[in-house]
Amino acid sequence: MVKELDSNDNNEIENNGEENTLKLSKEDLRRAYWSFEIWAQACCSYERLQAPGFFMGMRKVIDKLYINKQDRIEAYQRHLEFYNSEFALIGGPLIMGLVIAMEEDKANGGEVDGSAISAMKASLMGPLAGIGDTLRQGMLIPIVGSIAISIGQTGNLLGPVFYMVVMLAICFVFSYWVFREAHSRGSNFVSSVFTGKKIEKAMTLITTVGAITIGALAATTVKLSTTAVITLGDSQLNLQTDLFDAIVKNILPFGLVMLVLYFLNKKVNINWIIVGIFVFAVVCGILGIV
């Protein structure tokens, strides 16, 4: 069944000589962006992973662009194929913006076929996932998290609130800008991201800042000391002040961080590490040595 476009349709139709050009409105783009961001992680499976979330972002776009039922079905199937990438900052927003631009071109008779759109998604989702995860988890989360922890350590409930609000604000503002740039500039925007050594320099900077932040966070938040005292005749040896602090200040917290890092490098499950630290703290507390 053919759907007729009326004056209430959100599509902007420009009379371009002999043919009508379908162009999505700003509201259509905003709806696509928010639908994707809300549903990106809502329904993951080993078969499709984030594909249902990606499809939710594309569904209204497809309905606006394709009047023919068969064209819609093909587009639905195209965007329910396996998809997995970083979604909060770069990966998903960039791919979504570029895909919408390609679907727009295809709907208007451009030389773009469905296989090219699928291939573009498959080729970009891996590299962009690496960039986005490094940027968000390697730099953004440690920096914002360290500030939130410093606020929360004093008992201020604004610590977690600060973290959630700032993280969401940064992610949404930046990712929406990436989404709009990818849609308006298309492949030129992707080329500008990967051209030359810009991305290598950016990744090096991000990794370095993230490592420094995590190191500073560990040094200021991990607390471990002992109250154990050894009696030697008429004198007593306080292990913390007379031994450990005399060797290196805060050597016990540093040793604990290095031990956790060692276990992580050995692929020990993080849950077992947490349980181990908890049991160690309880036992040492009962014995009165920490």
Side-chain angles (χ1 to χ4, degrees), residues 3-67:
K3 175 185 174 182
E4 295 182 358
L5 297 175
D6 56 33
S7 58
N8 294 322
D9 200 300
N10 284 332
N11 279 336
E12 296 176 2
I13 302 182
E14 299 177 353
N15 194 331
N16 186 14
E18 298 178 353
E19 60 181 2
N20 290 329
T21 301
L22 292 171
K23 184 178 180 181
L24 296 170
S25 66
K26 292 182 179 179
E27 180 60 30
D28 294 328
L29 295 175
R30 280 195 294 269
R31 186 185 295 115
Y33 167 81
W34 284 111
S35 296
F36 169 72
E37 288 296 328
I38 291 171
W39 293 100
Q41 299 281 76
C43 182
C44 292
S45 68
Y46 286 112
E47 180 185 8
R48 302 180 188 272
L49 280 180
Q50 297 174 346
F54 196 93
F55 169 74
M56 286 301 296
M58 293 298 301
R59 186 171 66 91
K60 293 292 185 180
V61 171
I62 293 170
D63 290 344
K64 295 291 184 180
L65 291 177
Y66 296 106
I67 300 174

Short mmCIF file of all heavy atoms in Angstrom, two decimals, residues 3-67:
data_model
loop_
_atom_site.label_atom_id
_atom_site.label_comp_id
_atom_site.label_asym_id
_atom_site.label_seq_id
_atom_site.Cartn_x
_atom_site.Cartn_y
_atom_site.Cartn_z
N LYS A 3 1.67 5.05 0.79
CA LYS A 3 1.25 6.10 1.74
C LYS A 3 1.41 7.46 1.09
O LYS A 3 2.45 7.80 0.57
CB LYS A 3 2.14 6.02 3.00
CG LYS A 3 1.87 7.13 3.99
CD LYS A 3 2.85 7.05 5.14
CE LYS A 3 2.68 8.25 6.07
NZ LYS A 3 3.65 8.22 7.16
N GLU A 4 0.33 8.24 1.12
CA GLU A 4 0.38 9.57 0.54
C GLU A 4 0.96 10.55 1.54
O GLU A 4 0.64 10.52 2.71
CB GLU A 4 -1.02 10.02 0.12
CG GLU A 4 -1.62 9.16 -1.00
CD GLU A 4 -2.98 9.68 -1.41
OE1 GLU A 4 -3.43 10.67 -0.79
OE2 GLU A 4 -3.58 9.12 -2.33
N LEU A 5 1.82 11.44 1.07
CA LEU A 5 2.41 12.47 1.93
C LEU A 5 1.51 13.69 1.93
O LEU A 5 1.15 14.21 0.87
CB LEU A 5 3.80 12.84 1.42
CG LEU A 5 4.83 11.72 1.43
CD1 LEU A 5 6.12 12.22 0.79
CD2 LEU A 5 5.09 11.26 2.84
N ASP A 6 1.11 14.15 3.11
CA ASP A 6 0.28 15.33 3.18
C ASP A 6 1.05 16.46 3.86
O ASP A 6 2.21 16.34 4.20
CB ASP A 6 -1.04 15.04 3.92
CG ASP A 6 -0.79 14.46 5.30
OD1 ASP A 6 0.23 14.84 5.92
OD2 ASP A 6 -1.62 13.64 5.74
N SER A 7 0.38 17.56 4.08
CA SER A 7 1.04 18.75 4.63
C SER A 7 1.45 18.57 6.07
O SER A 7 2.27 19.31 6.59
CB SER A 7 0.09 19.96 4.53
OG SER A 7 -1.12 19.69 5.22
N ASN A 8 0.87 17.58 6.76
CA ASN A 8 1.21 17.36 8.16
C ASN A 8 2.42 16.45 8.33
O ASN A 8 2.86 16.21 9.44
CB ASN A 8 0.02 16.74 8.92
CG ASN A 8 -1.14 17.70 8.99
OD1 ASN A 8 -0.94 18.89 9.15
ND2 ASN A 8 -2.35 17.16 8.87
N ASP A 9 2.92 15.86 7.24
CA ASP A 9 4.07 14.96 7.32
C ASP A 9 5.30 15.76 7.71
O ASP A 9 5.49 16.89 7.27
CB ASP A 9 4.29 14.29 5.97
CG ASP A 9 5.12 13.02 6.12
OD1 ASP A 9 6.27 13.15 6.59
OD2 ASP A 9 4.60 11.96 5.77
N ASN A 10 6.15 15.18 8.55
CA ASN A 10 7.33 15.87 9.03
C ASN A 10 8.43 15.96 7.98
O ASN A 10 9.44 16.61 8.18
CB ASN A 10 7.90 15.17 10.28
CG ASN A 10 7.06 15.48 11.49
OD1 ASN A 10 6.44 16.53 11.56
ND2 ASN A 10 7.04 14.55 12.44
N ASN A 11 8.28 15.22 6.88
CA ASN A 11 9.27 15.33 5.82
C ASN A 11 9.19 16.71 5.18
O ASN A 11 8.11 17.23 4.90
CB ASN A 11 9.01 14.30 4.71
CG ASN A 11 9.56 12.95 5.08
OD1 ASN A 11 10.46 12.84 5.89
ND2 ASN A 11 8.99 11.91 4.48
N GLU A 12 10.35 17.29 4.95
CA GLU A 12 10.41 18.51 4.19
C GLU A 12 10.57 18.12 2.73
O GLU A 12 11.49 17.40 2.37
CB GLU A 12 11.59 19.36 4.64
CG GLU A 12 11.46 19.83 6.07
CD GLU A 12 12.70 20.58 6.51
OE1 GLU A 12 13.60 20.74 5.66
OE2 GLU A 12 12.76 20.99 7.68
N ILE A 13 9.69 18.55 1.86
CA ILE A 13 9.76 18.18 0.46
C ILE A 13 10.11 19.42 -0.35
O ILE A 13 9.42 20.42 -0.33
CB ILE A 13 8.41 17.60 -0.02
CG1 ILE A 13 8.06 16.38 0.83
CG2 ILE A 13 8.46 17.27 -1.48
CD1 ILE A 13 6.78 15.71 0.41
N GLU A 14 11.23 19.32 -1.01
CA GLU A 14 11.71 20.43 -1.80
C GLU A 14 11.46 20.13 -3.28
O GLU A 14 11.81 19.06 -3.78
CB GLU A 14 13.20 20.65 -1.56
CG GLU A 14 13.52 20.97 -0.11
CD GLU A 14 15.00 21.10 0.12
OE1 GLU A 14 15.76 20.80 -0.84
OE2 GLU A 14 15.40 21.49 1.23
N ASN A 15 10.87 21.08 -3.96
CA ASN A 15 10.65 20.91 -5.38
C ASN A 15 11.93 21.25 -6.10
O ASN A 15 12.35 22.38 -6.16
CB ASN A 15 9.51 21.84 -5.84
CG ASN A 15 9.02 21.46 -7.23
OD1 ASN A 15 9.78 20.93 -8.04
ND2 ASN A 15 7.76 21.74 -7.48
N ASN A 16 12.57 20.21 -6.63
CA ASN A 16 13.87 20.37 -7.28
C ASN A 16 13.73 20.03 -8.76
O ASN A 16 14.03 18.93 -9.20
CB ASN A 16 14.90 19.47 -6.60
CG ASN A 16 16.29 19.72 -7.14
OD1 ASN A 16 16.53 20.70 -7.82
ND2 ASN A 16 17.21 18.80 -6.83
N GLY A 17 13.21 20.95 -9.53
CA GLY A 17 13.05 20.73 -10.96
C GLY A 17 11.95 19.74 -11.22
O GLY A 17 10.79 19.96 -10.90
N GLU A 18 12.35 18.55 -11.81
CA GLU A 18 11.35 17.58 -12.23
C GLU A 18 11.00 16.59 -11.13
O GLU A 18 10.07 15.82 -11.27
CB GLU A 18 11.88 16.82 -13.45
CG GLU A 18 12.14 17.73 -14.66
CD GLU A 18 12.70 16.94 -15.81
OE1 GLU A 18 12.99 15.74 -15.61
OE2 GLU A 18 12.82 17.50 -16.91
N GLU A 19 11.78 16.56 -10.03
CA GLU A 19 11.52 15.55 -9.01
C GLU A 19 11.44 16.18 -7.63
O GLU A 19 11.98 17.24 -7.38
CB GLU A 19 12.60 14.47 -9.03
CG GLU A 19 13.99 14.99 -8.76
CD GLU A 19 15.02 13.88 -8.83
OE1 GLU A 19 14.65 12.74 -9.11
OE2 GLU A 19 16.20 14.18 -8.57
N ASN A 20 10.75 15.48 -6.75
CA ASN A 20 10.65 15.92 -5.37
C ASN A 20 11.75 15.28 -4.56
O ASN A 20 12.01 14.09 -4.67
CB ASN A 20 9.29 15.55 -4.79
CG ASN A 20 8.17 16.38 -5.40
OD1 ASN A 20 8.39 17.53 -5.76
ND2 ASN A 20 7.00 15.79 -5.52
N THR A 21 12.39 16.06 -3.72
CA THR A 21 13.48 15.58 -2.89
C THR A 21 13.00 15.43 -1.46
O THR A 21 12.52 16.38 -0.86
CB THR A 21 14.68 16.55 -2.93
OG1 THR A 21 15.12 16.68 -4.28
CG2 THR A 21 15.82 16.03 -2.06
N LEU A 22 13.16 14.23 -0.92
CA LEU A 22 12.80 13.97 0.46
C LEU A 22 13.95 14.38 1.37
O LEU A 22 15.09 13.97 1.16
CB LEU A 22 12.49 12.49 0.66
CG LEU A 22 11.23 11.96 -0.03
CD1 LEU A 22 11.18 10.45 0.07
CD2 LEU A 22 9.99 12.57 0.60
N LYS A 23 13.64 15.19 2.37
CA LYS A 23 14.66 15.64 3.31
C LYS A 23 14.09 15.61 4.71
O LYS A 23 13.03 16.16 4.98
CB LYS A 23 15.13 17.06 2.95
CG LYS A 23 16.27 17.56 3.82
CD LYS A 23 16.71 18.93 3.39
CE LYS A 23 17.84 19.44 4.27
NZ LYS A 23 18.29 20.81 3.87
N LEU A 24 14.82 14.96 5.62
CA LEU A 24 14.35 14.84 7.00
C LEU A 24 14.44 16.18 7.71
O LEU A 24 15.37 16.96 7.48
CB LEU A 24 15.19 13.81 7.74
CG LEU A 24 15.07 12.37 7.23
CD1 LEU A 24 16.11 11.49 7.90
CD2 LEU A 24 13.68 11.81 7.49
N SER A 25 13.51 16.44 8.57
CA SER A 25 13.50 17.68 9.34
C SER A 25 14.40 17.53 10.57
O SER A 25 14.85 16.44 10.93
CB SER A 25 12.09 18.02 9.79
OG SER A 25 11.62 17.05 10.72
N LYS A 26 14.66 18.66 11.23
CA LYS A 26 15.46 18.63 12.46
C LYS A 26 14.78 17.79 13.53
O LYS A 26 15.45 17.11 14.31
CB LYS A 26 15.70 20.05 12.95
CG LYS A 26 16.60 20.89 12.05
CD LYS A 26 16.82 22.28 12.63
CE LYS A 26 17.74 23.10 11.74
NZ LYS A 26 17.95 24.47 12.29
N GLU A 27 13.47 17.85 13.58
CA GLU A 27 12.72 17.06 14.55
C GLU A 27 12.88 15.57 14.28
O GLU A 27 13.01 14.76 15.21
CB GLU A 27 11.24 17.43 14.50
CG GLU A 27 10.36 16.66 15.48
CD GLU A 27 10.78 16.87 16.93
OE1 GLU A 27 11.31 17.95 17.26
OE2 GLU A 27 10.56 15.93 17.73
N ASP A 28 12.89 15.17 13.01
CA ASP A 28 13.12 13.77 12.65
C ASP A 28 14.49 13.32 13.14
O ASP A 28 14.64 12.21 13.67
CB ASP A 28 13.04 13.58 11.14
CG ASP A 28 11.65 13.83 10.60
OD1 ASP A 28 10.68 13.55 11.32
OD2 ASP A 28 11.53 14.31 9.46
N LEU A 29 15.49 14.15 12.96
CA LEU A 29 16.85 13.81 13.37
C LEU A 29 16.95 13.72 14.89
O LEU A 29 17.60 12.82 15.43
CB LEU A 29 17.84 14.83 12.82
CG LEU A 29 17.98 14.89 11.29
CD1 LEU A 29 18.91 16.02 10.88
CD2 LEU A 29 18.49 13.56 10.75
N ARG A 30 16.34 14.66 15.58
CA ARG A 30 16.37 14.62 17.05
C ARG A 30 15.68 13.35 17.56
O ARG A 30 16.17 12.70 18.49
CB ARG A 30 15.68 15.85 17.64
CG ARG A 30 16.56 17.09 17.65
CD ARG A 30 15.97 18.16 18.55
NE ARG A 30 14.71 18.66 18.04
CZ ARG A 30 14.58 19.71 17.23
NH1 ARG A 30 15.66 20.37 16.84
NH2 ARG A 30 13.40 20.12 16.83
N ARG A 31 14.56 12.99 16.95
CA ARG A 31 13.85 11.80 17.37
C ARG A 31 14.69 10.55 17.13
O ARG A 31 14.73 9.64 17.98
CB ARG A 31 12.53 11.69 16.61
CG ARG A 31 11.65 10.53 17.10
CD ARG A 31 10.40 10.36 16.26
NE ARG A 31 9.52 11.51 16.37
CZ ARG A 31 9.24 12.32 15.35
NH1 ARG A 31 9.78 12.12 14.16
NH2 ARG A 31 8.43 13.33 15.53
N ALA A 32 15.38 10.50 16.00
CA ALA A 32 16.23 9.36 15.70
C ALA A 32 17.37 9.24 16.71
O ALA A 32 17.68 8.15 17.21
CB ALA A 32 16.80 9.49 14.28
N TYR A 33 18.00 10.38 17.04
CA TYR A 33 19.11 10.38 17.98
C TYR A 33 18.66 9.89 19.36
O TYR A 33 19.29 9.00 19.95
CB TYR A 33 19.71 11.79 18.09
CG TYR A 33 20.64 11.96 19.25
CD1 TYR A 33 21.97 11.53 19.18
CD2 TYR A 33 20.20 12.53 20.46
CE1 TYR A 33 22.82 11.68 20.26
CE2 TYR A 33 21.05 12.67 21.53
CZ TYR A 33 22.36 12.25 21.43
OH TYR A 33 23.19 12.38 22.50
N TRP A 34 17.59 10.47 19.88
CA TRP A 34 17.15 10.11 21.23
C TRP A 34 16.62 8.68 21.29
O TRP A 34 16.82 7.99 22.29
CB TRP A 34 16.10 11.09 21.72
CG TRP A 34 16.69 12.41 22.13
CD1 TRP A 34 16.54 13.61 21.50
CD2 TRP A 34 17.55 12.64 23.25
NE1 TRP A 34 17.26 14.58 22.16
CE2 TRP A 34 17.89 14.02 23.23
CE3 TRP A 34 18.06 11.83 24.25
CZ2 TRP A 34 18.72 14.58 24.19
CZ3 TRP A 34 18.89 12.39 25.21
CH2 TRP A 34 19.21 13.75 25.18
N SER A 35 15.96 8.23 20.25
CA SER A 35 15.49 6.85 20.22
C SER A 35 16.66 5.88 20.29
O SER A 35 16.62 4.88 21.02
CB SER A 35 14.67 6.57 18.95
OG SER A 35 13.49 7.35 18.93
N PHE A 36 17.73 6.18 19.54
CA PHE A 36 18.90 5.31 19.58
C PHE A 36 19.57 5.34 20.95
O PHE A 36 19.90 4.29 21.52
CB PHE A 36 19.91 5.74 18.51
CG PHE A 36 21.23 5.05 18.66
CD1 PHE A 36 21.38 3.71 18.35
CD2 PHE A 36 22.34 5.75 19.13
CE1 PHE A 36 22.59 3.07 18.50
CE2 PHE A 36 23.55 5.12 19.29
CZ PHE A 36 23.68 3.77 18.97
N GLU A 37 19.78 6.53 21.51
CA GLU A 37 20.48 6.63 22.79
C GLU A 37 19.70 5.96 23.92
O GLU A 37 20.29 5.37 24.83
CB GLU A 37 20.73 8.10 23.14
CG GLU A 37 21.79 8.77 22.29
CD GLU A 37 23.17 8.16 22.49
OE1 GLU A 37 23.46 7.69 23.61
OE2 GLU A 37 23.95 8.13 21.53
N ILE A 38 18.38 6.02 23.86
CA ILE A 38 17.56 5.42 24.91
C ILE A 38 17.54 3.90 24.79
O ILE A 38 17.62 3.18 25.79
CB ILE A 38 16.13 5.98 24.86
CG1 ILE A 38 16.13 7.46 25.29
CG2 ILE A 38 15.18 5.17 25.75
CD1 ILE A 38 14.81 8.16 25.06
N TRP A 39 17.48 3.39 23.56
CA TRP A 39 17.29 1.96 23.35
C TRP A 39 18.58 1.21 23.00
O TRP A 39 18.53 -0.02 22.86
CB TRP A 39 16.26 1.73 22.25
CG TRP A 39 14.88 2.16 22.60
CD1 TRP A 39 14.26 3.32 22.22
CD2 TRP A 39 13.94 1.46 23.42
NE1 TRP A 39 13.01 3.39 22.75
CE2 TRP A 39 12.77 2.26 23.49
CE3 TRP A 39 13.97 0.23 24.09
CZ2 TRP A 39 11.65 1.86 24.21
CZ3 TRP A 39 12.86 -0.15 24.81
CH2 TRP A 39 11.72 0.66 24.86
N ALA A 40 19.71 1.90 22.89
CA ALA A 40 20.95 1.27 22.40
C ALA A 40 21.33 0.02 23.19
O ALA A 40 21.75 -0.99 22.62
CB ALA A 40 22.09 2.28 22.41
N GLN A 41 21.21 0.08 24.52
CA GLN A 41 21.62 -1.04 25.36
C GLN A 41 20.42 -1.76 25.98
O GLN A 41 20.61 -2.59 26.88
CB GLN A 41 22.53 -0.53 26.49
CG GLN A 41 23.81 0.13 26.01
CD GLN A 41 24.86 -0.89 25.60
OE1 GLN A 41 24.78 -1.49 24.54
NE2 GLN A 41 25.84 -1.07 26.46
N ALA A 42 19.24 -1.47 25.51
CA ALA A 42 18.05 -2.01 26.18
C ALA A 42 17.78 -3.46 25.84
O ALA A 42 17.18 -4.19 26.63
CB ALA A 42 16.82 -1.16 25.80
N CYS A 43 18.21 -3.92 24.69
CA CYS A 43 17.89 -5.28 24.25
C CYS A 43 19.07 -5.84 23.47
O CYS A 43 19.13 -5.71 22.25
CB CYS A 43 16.62 -5.27 23.41
SG CYS A 43 16.11 -6.92 22.87
N CYS A 44 20.01 -6.45 24.18
CA CYS A 44 21.19 -7.02 23.53
C CYS A 44 21.09 -8.54 23.53
O CYS A 44 20.56 -9.15 24.45
CB CYS A 44 22.47 -6.61 24.26
SG CYS A 44 22.84 -4.85 24.12
N SER A 45 21.61 -9.17 22.48
CA SER A 45 21.66 -10.62 22.40
C SER A 45 22.92 -11.02 21.66
O SER A 45 23.54 -10.21 20.97
CB SER A 45 20.43 -11.17 21.66
OG SER A 45 20.47 -10.82 20.29
N TYR A 46 23.34 -12.29 21.80
CA TYR A 46 24.53 -12.74 21.10
C TYR A 46 24.33 -12.74 19.58
O TYR A 46 25.28 -12.66 18.82
CB TYR A 46 24.91 -14.14 21.57
CG TYR A 46 25.52 -14.18 22.95
CD1 TYR A 46 24.85 -14.77 24.01
CD2 TYR A 46 26.75 -13.60 23.19
CE1 TYR A 46 25.40 -14.78 25.28
CE2 TYR A 46 27.31 -13.61 24.45
CZ TYR A 46 26.63 -14.21 25.50
OH TYR A 46 27.18 -14.22 26.75
N GLU A 47 23.08 -12.84 19.15
CA GLU A 47 22.80 -12.88 17.72
C GLU A 47 22.89 -11.50 17.08
O GLU A 47 23.44 -11.35 15.98
CB GLU A 47 21.41 -13.46 17.49
CG GLU A 47 21.03 -13.55 16.01
CD GLU A 47 19.60 -14.01 15.80
OE1 GLU A 47 18.85 -14.12 16.79
OE2 GLU A 47 19.24 -14.25 14.64
N ARG A 48 22.37 -10.46 17.76
CA ARG A 48 22.29 -9.13 17.15
C ARG A 48 22.96 -8.04 17.98
O ARG A 48 23.20 -6.95 17.48
CB ARG A 48 20.82 -8.75 16.92
CG ARG A 48 20.06 -9.73 16.04
CD ARG A 48 18.60 -9.28 15.86
NE ARG A 48 17.81 -10.28 15.19
CZ ARG A 48 17.68 -10.38 13.87
NH1 ARG A 48 18.32 -9.53 13.10
NH2 ARG A 48 16.92 -11.30 13.32
N LEU A 49 23.19 -8.29 19.26
CA LEU A 49 23.75 -7.31 20.18
C LEU A 49 22.95 -6.00 20.14
O LEU A 49 21.78 -5.99 20.49
CB LEU A 49 25.23 -7.10 19.91
CG LEU A 49 26.14 -8.19 20.51
CD1 LEU A 49 27.60 -7.90 20.20
CD2 LEU A 49 25.94 -8.36 22.01
N GLN A 50 23.50 -4.89 19.66
CA GLN A 50 22.81 -3.61 19.75
C GLN A 50 21.89 -3.32 18.56
O GLN A 50 21.36 -2.22 18.46
CB GLN A 50 23.84 -2.48 19.86
CG GLN A 50 24.69 -2.53 21.10
CD GLN A 50 25.79 -1.48 21.10
OE1 GLN A 50 26.08 -0.87 20.07
NE2 GLN A 50 26.40 -1.26 22.25
N ALA A 51 21.70 -4.30 17.69
CA ALA A 51 20.89 -4.06 16.49
C ALA A 51 19.46 -3.59 16.80
O ALA A 51 18.96 -2.68 16.14
CB ALA A 51 20.86 -5.32 15.61
N PRO A 52 18.77 -4.18 17.79
CA PRO A 52 17.41 -3.67 18.08
C PRO A 52 17.42 -2.20 18.47
O PRO A 52 16.51 -1.44 18.07
CB PRO A 52 16.95 -4.56 19.25
CG PRO A 52 17.72 -5.82 19.08
CD PRO A 52 19.07 -5.40 18.58
N GLY A 53 18.42 -1.77 19.25
CA GLY A 53 18.51 -0.36 19.62
C GLY A 53 18.79 0.52 18.42
O GLY A 53 18.22 1.62 18.29
N PHE A 54 19.68 0.06 17.53
CA PHE A 54 19.97 0.83 16.31
C PHE A 54 18.72 0.94 15.45
O PHE A 54 18.42 2.00 14.88
CB PHE A 54 21.10 0.17 15.53
CG PHE A 54 21.73 1.04 14.50
CD1 PHE A 54 22.85 1.80 14.79
CD2 PHE A 54 21.19 1.13 13.21
CE1 PHE A 54 23.42 2.62 13.84
CE2 PHE A 54 21.75 1.96 12.26
CZ PHE A 54 22.88 2.70 12.58
N PHE A 55 17.97 -0.15 15.35
CA PHE A 55 16.75 -0.14 14.56
C PHE A 55 15.73 0.84 15.12
O PHE A 55 15.02 1.52 14.37
CB PHE A 55 16.14 -1.55 14.51
CG PHE A 55 14.76 -1.59 13.93
CD1 PHE A 55 14.56 -1.44 12.57
CD2 PHE A 55 13.65 -1.75 14.75
CE1 PHE A 55 13.27 -1.46 12.03
CE2 PHE A 55 12.38 -1.77 14.23
CZ PHE A 55 12.19 -1.62 12.87
N MET A 56 15.65 0.94 16.46
CA MET A 56 14.70 1.88 17.05
C MET A 56 15.03 3.32 16.64
O MET A 56 14.13 4.14 16.46
CB MET A 56 14.73 1.76 18.58
CG MET A 56 14.06 0.51 19.11
SD MET A 56 12.32 0.38 18.64
CE MET A 56 11.63 1.80 19.50
N GLY A 57 16.32 3.63 16.50
CA GLY A 57 16.69 4.95 16.03
C GLY A 57 16.34 5.17 14.57
O GLY A 57 16.04 6.29 14.14
N MET A 58 16.37 4.10 13.78
CA MET A 58 16.13 4.21 12.34
C MET A 58 14.66 4.04 11.95
O MET A 58 14.29 4.39 10.83
CB MET A 58 16.96 3.16 11.60
CG MET A 58 18.46 3.37 11.66
SD MET A 58 18.99 4.92 10.89
CE MET A 58 18.38 4.70 9.22
N ARG A 59 13.85 3.50 12.82
CA ARG A 59 12.50 3.10 12.43
C ARG A 59 11.68 4.25 11.87
O ARG A 59 11.09 4.15 10.78
CB ARG A 59 11.78 2.49 13.65
CG ARG A 59 10.42 1.90 13.33
CD ARG A 59 9.89 1.13 14.52
NE ARG A 59 9.63 2.02 15.65
CZ ARG A 59 8.44 2.62 15.88
NH1 ARG A 59 7.44 2.43 15.03
NH2 ARG A 59 8.27 3.39 16.93
N LYS A 60 11.62 5.38 12.59
CA LYS A 60 10.83 6.52 12.12
C LYS A 60 11.45 7.13 10.86
O LYS A 60 10.74 7.63 9.98
CB LYS A 60 10.73 7.57 13.22
CG LYS A 60 9.92 7.14 14.43
CD LYS A 60 8.45 6.97 14.09
CE LYS A 60 7.64 6.65 15.32
NZ LYS A 60 6.19 6.48 15.00
N VAL A 61 12.78 7.10 10.79
CA VAL A 61 13.46 7.62 9.60
C VAL A 61 13.06 6.81 8.37
O VAL A 61 12.75 7.37 7.31
CB VAL A 61 14.99 7.57 9.80
CG1 VAL A 61 15.72 7.89 8.50
CG2 VAL A 61 15.41 8.54 10.90
N ILE A 62 13.08 5.50 8.51
CA ILE A 62 12.70 4.62 7.40
C ILE A 62 11.26 4.88 6.98
O ILE A 62 10.94 4.96 5.78
CB ILE A 62 12.90 3.15 7.79
CG1 ILE A 62 14.39 2.86 7.99
CG2 ILE A 62 12.31 2.22 6.74
CD1 ILE A 62 14.67 1.51 8.60
N ASP A 63 10.37 5.01 7.97
CA ASP A 63 8.96 5.25 7.65
C ASP A 63 8.78 6.57 6.91
O ASP A 63 7.87 6.69 6.07
CB ASP A 63 8.13 5.27 8.94
CG ASP A 63 8.02 3.89 9.57
OD1 ASP A 63 8.31 2.89 8.88
OD2 ASP A 63 7.66 3.80 10.76
N LYS A 64 9.61 7.58 7.21
CA LYS A 64 9.50 8.87 6.55
C LYS A 64 10.05 8.84 5.13
O LYS A 64 9.53 9.49 4.22
CB LYS A 64 10.24 9.94 7.35
CG LYS A 64 9.67 10.22 8.72
CD LYS A 64 8.32 10.90 8.65
CE LYS A 64 7.83 11.25 10.04
NZ LYS A 64 6.51 11.92 10.00
N LEU A 65 11.13 8.09 4.96
CA LEU A 65 11.84 8.13 3.67
C LEU A 65 11.26 7.19 2.63
O LEU A 65 11.26 7.51 1.44
CB LEU A 65 13.32 7.81 3.87
CG LEU A 65 14.16 8.83 4.63
CD1 LEU A 65 15.58 8.32 4.81
CD2 LEU A 65 14.16 10.18 3.92
N TYR A 66 10.77 6.05 3.06
CA TYR A 66 10.34 5.03 2.09
C TYR A 66 8.83 4.87 2.12
O TYR A 66 8.25 4.48 3.14
CB TYR A 66 11.02 3.69 2.40
CG TYR A 66 12.52 3.73 2.24
CD1 TYR A 66 13.35 3.73 3.35
CD2 TYR A 66 13.11 3.80 0.98
CE1 TYR A 66 14.72 3.79 3.22
CE2 TYR A 66 14.48 3.86 0.82
CZ TYR A 66 15.28 3.85 1.95
OH TYR A 66 16.65 3.91 1.80
N ILE A 67 8.21 5.17 1.00
CA ILE A 67 6.76 5.05 0.88
C ILE A 67 6.39 3.63 0.50
O ILE A 67 5.40 3.08 0.98
CB ILE A 67 6.24 6.05 -0.18
CG1 ILE A 67 6.59 7.48 0.25
CG2 ILE A 67 4.73 5.90 -0.35
CD1 ILE A 67 6.23 8.52 -0.80
#
